Amino acid sequence: MKKLIALLVFSGLALAGCGSNQSDTKTSSSSASETKQSTTSSVDASEQKKLDQLRKDIQDAMTNENAVFPQLSNEVAEDEAVVKITTNKGDITVKLFPKYAPLAVENFLTHAKDGYYNGLLFHRVINNFMIQTGDPKGDGTGGESIWKGKDSSKDSGAGFENEYSPYLYNLRGALAMANSGPNTNGSQFYINQNKEDWSSKLPTERFPAKIIEAYKNGGNPTLDGGNYTVFGQVIDGMDVVDKIAEVETDDKDKPKEDVKIEKMEIVKDYDFKK
């Protein structure tokens, strides 16, 4: 099922990218015949329903003038959560999208409530790209999901699956899960900081018009396409994100002075049981 969804996403909408650095990017596409052959293979009813819904969402995002892209507004909807991230460089307030990325949002909120992120470093910082944190080891090799040892249906902290939505993108200020490959999401996340205007470089057949317009303000569209789960957006404190991005780093992109999360405050929670 995951492979089928990935194929549908890559062939139907967005560019895919790798997150090791800005120059290490790729695009992926498949022909219509390949997509048809793959998606008509043996799938159960629930999987087919998900695929059908994803097709509808992609069509809606691309053609409906009234399609809602929640990152484009600083207003907080009823079905969104809000967290304030206090760093030693200032506060960053983010809103989260459980409707579109429930696994990533529940993971992030639970870690935040448990104090998991308190004291963790921004261990990877690349100006005009992104800032990354969430690793207890502080070197990019650690971190685990909230499901470790709790749910036998999850792979005991090895990582939860990627979540893709045609309504969420790696715009400037977007939060997304960092990972080491498909479905290896643990606790690390990054905030897109790039200020480059991408709007004239994006294919209109793969990006909605409103998103192309939003990419005038920056972001990393080469990371779109399903490899990285976008689950939130900065609504206050991008100046702090920029301040962190501008610190001096070593040859491994680690800040020479400690930049860390001091605490996280749940400003608006979300009930996953409702």
Side-chain angles (χ1 to χ4, degrees):
M1 177 61 185
K2 295 172 186 175
K3 292 181 180 178
L4 295 179
I5 289 179
L7 181 57
L8 177 59
V9 170
F10 295 144
S11 62
L13 179 62
L15 296 173
C18 300
S20 58
N21 54 58
Q22 285 177 289
S23 61
D24 183 15
T25 60
K26 300 177 181 178
T27 59
S28 176
S29 63
S30 300
S31 69
S33 61
E34 289 174 328
T35 302
K36 182 177 180 180
Q37 181 179 3
S38 297
T39 56
T40 55
S41 61
S42 177
V43 294
D44 63 28
S46 62
E47 290 175 336
Q48 188 60 54
K49 185 177 180 180
K50 291 179 182 178
L51 282 172
D52 291 343
Q53 185 60 54
L54 181 55
R55 287 192 185 95
K56 290 179 182 178
D57 288 345
I58 290 174
Q59 181 70 12
D60 178 68
M62 291 299 297
T63 63
N64 182 3
E65 293 181 358
N66 297 317
V68 176
F69 299 92
Q71 293 170 277
L72 305 186
S73 171
N74 279 352
E75 294 183 6
V76 179
E78 183 178 350
D79 61 354
E80 296 172 349
V82 179
V83 174
K84 183 168 75 171
I85 305 171
T86 298
T87 79
N88 60 334
K89 294 292 185 179
D91 295 340
I92 304 167
T93 302
V94 300
K95 67 174 181 174
L96 310 175
F97 309 118
K99 176 180 178 180
Y100 301 109
L103 296 178
V105 173
E106 184 175 4
N107 187 70
F108 184 84
L109 282 175
T110 304
H111 274 328
K113 293 172 187 176
D114 291 345
Y116 183 94
Y117 290 123
N118 296 353
L120 299 193
L121 298 174
F122 284 87
H123 64 271
R124 185 168 180 243
V125 168
I126 303 176
N127 197 17
N128 287 322
F129 183 27
M130 59 91 225
I131 61 175
Q132 185 172 329
T133 183
D135 175 17
K137 293 185 178 181
D139 61 6
T141 65
E144 61 188 29
S145 77
I146 62 171
W147 292 286
K148 182 175 177 61
K150 294 182 180 180
D151 186 344
S152 59
S153 69
K154 301 291 191 302
D155 191 11
S156 189
F160 59 90
E161 66 187 61
N162 293 0
E163 297 169 287
Y164 169 77
S165 170
Y167 301 108
L168 299 177
Y169 296 82
N170 282 272
L171 302 173
R172 174 170 157 82
L175 275 71
M177 294 301 300
N179 60 46
S180 56
N183 309 315
T184 60
N185 302 289
S187 60
Q188 294 187 45
F189 65 94
Y190 63 91
I191 301 177
N192 289 280
Q193 183 268 337
N194 185 23
K195 298 178 181 179
E196 179 181 355
D197 179 354
W198 282 88
S199 59
S200 63
K201 305 173 185 178
L202 300 180
T204 57
E205 70 274 13
R206 294 190 177 187
F207 288 87
K210 292 179 181 178
I211 294 302
I212 291 177
E213 179 69 18
Y215 267 122
K216 284 184 177 180
N217 297 321
N220 297 296
T222 53
L223 301 183
D224 290 330
N227 286 343
Y228 305 97
T229 299
V230 176
F231 66 96
Q233 183 71 30
V234 174
I235 57 174
D236 188 47
M238 273 306 296
D239 59 325
V240 177
V241 175
D242 288 334
K243 188 184 299 185
I244 293 173
E246 292 166 359
V247 302
E248 186 177 2
T249 58
D250 62 20
D251 57 3
K252 294 183 179 179
D253 301 318
K254 186 172 184 177
K256 291 185 176 180
E257 61 172 294
D258 284 352
V259 181
K260 63 183 179 180
I261 297 172
E262 294 181 340
K263 64 178 181 178
M264 288 194 183
E265 175 187 350
I266 310 300
V267 178
K268 181 176 181 292
D269 205 351
Y270 181 82
D271 183 4
F272 287 90
K273 297 179 181 180
K274 63 182 180 180

